[in-house]
Amino acid sequence: MTGGAGKEPGAAEQRLFIGGSWVAPDNGFYEVIDPATEGVVGRAPEASRNQVHAAAAAAREAFGAWSRTPAEERAAVLARAADVIQRNFVPYAELAQAESGATTGTARGMQVGVGVARFRRYARPEPVEQPLPPQINEAGPFGGAAVMGALAVRQPVGVVTCITSYNNPWANPAGKIAPALAMGNTVLVKPAPQDPLSVYRMAEALEAAGVPPGVVNVVSGSTAESGEAAVDSPDVDMVSFTGSTAVGQRIAEVCGRGMKRQLMELGGKGAAIVFDDADLGSAVSGIGTTFSFYSGQICTAPTRVLVQRGVHDLLVQQLAAYAGHLKVGDPREQGTVVGPVVSAAHRDRVESYVELGRKEGARVVAGGERPSLPIGFYVAPTLLADCTPDMRVVREEIFGPVVVVLPFDDEEEAIALANDSDYGLIDYVWSGDVARAFRVARRLRAGGVGVNTVGRNMEAPFGGFKKSGVGRDVGSYALHAYSETQAIVWPG
């Protein structure tokens, strides 16, 4: 492979991808660790600040020609890249699993599989012009009224820095890179330090698909230096970031000084409202995805469960039983449902929240102890009951397989509790009364609401209210996110 990853990931030294060339890093390499085995997956390049700025400059140089390339040709590159990824599906999934600790099903289906699907989605050119009907305009500054025609045109923003999350090293980068390229932007990609090697494989696929030099650039680093350089470069016009709210706020400050566009998908503390007429089996299996899906390292998880008192005890009992039956262990083994979290540091962070919950007065109904496994960064699925709205475990994003439960009496209290949060990404409502569920959904201050489901429609706009983000992406909304709207008018 061009990037230098090799077939055996343990000893490989990955190079940076800048301006169409694979470049040795100025600051050496750092080890990428398998969360399940604690072994070395590979050595990722540590880019210098100058190298990151050089990558942004390469993207700037490539922008003019790429933005003028017909949309159909840009789409064809994305389609060919999808074909390359599909041909390498199994080894790419194995690498993603080794870097992120995902189970085999998640690595194949939700990581590489969704990555392929997103490249194919944006390989379908869409109209970038929307004609507006001629209108009689009011008198202008020179007097008189005129019939004017207008055309709204989407133009690429320019150079887009894509800073991606560690929980999904394929779907998340593909969801940024593919629509940005489809709209005629060029990109500088800064992957998460925990699992960057998969993103370099994505760059190889795009290179093999014929993407011109400089259109896609990938740099990595284990410290904040490379990420900061990818944001503050004068060649960058927009930053697309997925990660914590705290980091997003710092990025937004830099973007504000440079008047750079932002697309921010940040933290979440999703409320799951369960009414006493709900299908409890459906609610339990939906809420239970917090334990299993990415081991709870997912911002959309229903981690904050609000249960009507009539079914509170029964739901807690069923959730505890559900958590207790989940197999925790090696994500490569058949039947494993809960793999490791991404690092030892993150395991310690999640465990510290569980201990904090105990001190705050929460009752540990399930989990709460480290699984007795000899290696790997594992956290047991944990359920905390008897929680109150002021507890930190209720208010702060834990980002692990931990669910907190609070009771409520009526609809108004449920809505108030759900909205009493700094976050507003995705909430959930379970009720046998669909009219009530939709009524409640409309009053929740969240970018998305699942009614009797945790499923996602991948064409629906995705993003958050409050500290959960800025802007919307997914489907056609991503094409708008990575574009500016230009109005062209003329005498009718």
Side-chain angles (χ1 to χ4, degrees):
M1 290 196 173
T2 310
K7 293 184 179 180
E8 296 297 329
E13 290 186 343
Q14 175 65 56
R15 291 174 175 254
L16 305 165
F17 189 55
I18 300 175
S21 298
W22 295 95
V23 180
D26 288 343
N27 294 343
F29 301 86
Y30 69 94
E31 293 181 341
V32 176
I33 303 299
D34 185 324
T37 68
E38 302 185 41
V40 177
V41 179
R43 289 165 56 80
E46 192 85 63
S48 68
R49 181 176 179 83
N50 287 340
Q51 286 181 311
V52 177
H53 280 193
R60 170 63 62 202
E61 184 177 354
F63 171 68
W66 180 250
S67 65
R68 294 190 297 271
T69 299
E72 293 76 13
E73 292 183 26
R74 299 196 299 258
V77 171
L78 298 180
R80 291 194 296 271
D83 291 340
V84 174
I85 298 168
Q86 188 67 54
R87 286 197 298 270
N88 293 280
F89 189 90
V90 172
Y92 284 173
E94 289 174 349
L95 176 60
Q97 181 175 57
E99 290 190 283
S100 68
T103 62
T104 300
T106 296
R108 292 186 178 188
M110 299 307 298
Q111 293 187 349
V112 181
V114 172
V116 170
R118 287 183 168 173
F119 273 98
R120 294 204 191 285
R121 164 64 180 84
Y122 296 105
R124 306 197 310 260
E126 295 187 15
V128 297
E129 300 175 346
Q130 179 61 49
L132 305 178
Q135 299 182 22
I136 298 178
N137 290 262
E138 296 180 1
F142 303 108
V147 177
M148 302 292 288
L151 188 66
V153 181
R154 293 206 299 266
Q155 298 277 20
V157 177
V159 176
V160 180
T161 285
C162 302
I163 303 178
T164 66
S165 61
Y166 70 73
N167 59 353
N168 197 322
W170 277 92
N172 185 262
K176 298 178 185 298
I177 296 168
L181 296 183
M183 273 306 307
N185 302 283
T186 54
V187 297
L188 166 59
V189 187
K190 164 58 177 69
Q194 297 91 338
D195 49 10
L197 302 178
S198 291
V199 182
Y200 285 106
R201 304 290 76 72
M202 192 179 298
E204 286 181 350
L206 283 159
E207 181 187 35
V211 71
V215 171
V216 175
N217 306 270
V218 184
V219 296
S220 56
S222 62
T223 69
E225 179 184 9
S226 54
E228 290 171 354
V231 172
D232 67 26
S233 166
D235 286 308
V236 170
D237 300 296
M238 174 180 173
V239 176
S240 175
F241 171 70
T242 300
S244 72
T245 295
V247 174
Q249 288 171 322
R250 294 198 293 272
I251 291 173
E253 291 173 0
V254 177
C255 288
R257 291 195 292 271
M259 295 304 293
K260 298 179 181 183
R261 289 279 299 276
Q262 303 166 48
L263 178 60
M264 300 279 188
E265 196 266 284
L266 307 176
K269 191 73 175 178
I273 300 174
V274 183
F275 286 100
D276 56 12
D277 63 349
D279 179 338
L280 292 190
S282 172
V284 167
S285 62
I287 295 164
T289 60
T290 300
F291 302 133
S292 57
F293 195 45
Y294 299 124
S295 300
Q297 300 167 112
I298 182 75
C299 53
T300 58
T303 58
R304 189 167 49 109
V305 181
L306 313 176
V307 192
Q308 200 158 18
R309 290 189 187 275
V311 294
H312 174 274
D313 292 351
L314 182 57
L315 185 78
V316 169
Q317 177 186 344
Q318 292 185 9
L319 273 174
Y322 186 95
H325 284 96
L326 299 177
K327 179 183 177 182
V328 181
D330 187 341
R332 296 170 178 84
E333 289 186 1
Q334 187 174 5
T336 295
V337 179
V338 183
V341 296
V342 75
S343 66
H346 190 58
R347 176 189 60 192
D348 294 346
R349 178 182 183 274
V350 175
E351 289 179 341
S352 72
Y353 267 106
V354 175
E355 184 58 30
L356 174 63
R358 284 193 177 101
K359 292 178 179 178
E360 291 181 314
R363 175 168 55 97
V364 179
V365 182
E369 303 294 336
R370 184 177 295 184
S372 56
L373 295 165
I375 56 173
F377 310 131
Y378 294 96
V379 177
T382 299
L383 180 66
L384 303 178
D386 300 340
C387 297
T388 57
D390 60 322
M391 292 180 177
R392 285 180 59 191
V393 290
V394 173
R395 306 201 66 82
E396 298 177 13
E397 184 178 38
I398 298 173
F399 217 62
V402 181
V403 171
V404 301
V405 183
L406 297 83
F408 70 86
D409 288 311
D410 56 28
E411 183 176 311
E412 289 299 319
E413 184 183 11
I415 294 168
L417 287 171
N419 288 336
D420 182 21
S421 175
D422 290 336
Y423 299 105
L425 187 57
I426 295 187
D427 287 343
Y428 304 88
V429 182
W430 272 274
S431 174
D433 183 343
V434 176
R436 173 168 68 175
F438 274 83
R439 180 174 68 242
V440 170
R442 291 293 300 272
R443 294 183 59 189
L444 297 178
R445 299 290 296 165
V449 181
V451 173
N452 293 326
T453 184
V454 292
R456 291 260 311 275
N457 182 321
M458 298 310 293
E459 289 296 315
F462 179 72
F465 288 15
K466 297 182 280 188
K467 291 184 179 180
S468 283
V470 177
R472 297 293 182 270
D473 68 357
V474 180
S476 297
Y477 295 89
L479 296 174
H480 286 279
Y482 293 101
S483 65
E484 297 277 16
T485 303
Q486 179 185 61
I488 302 174
V489 298
W490 65 89

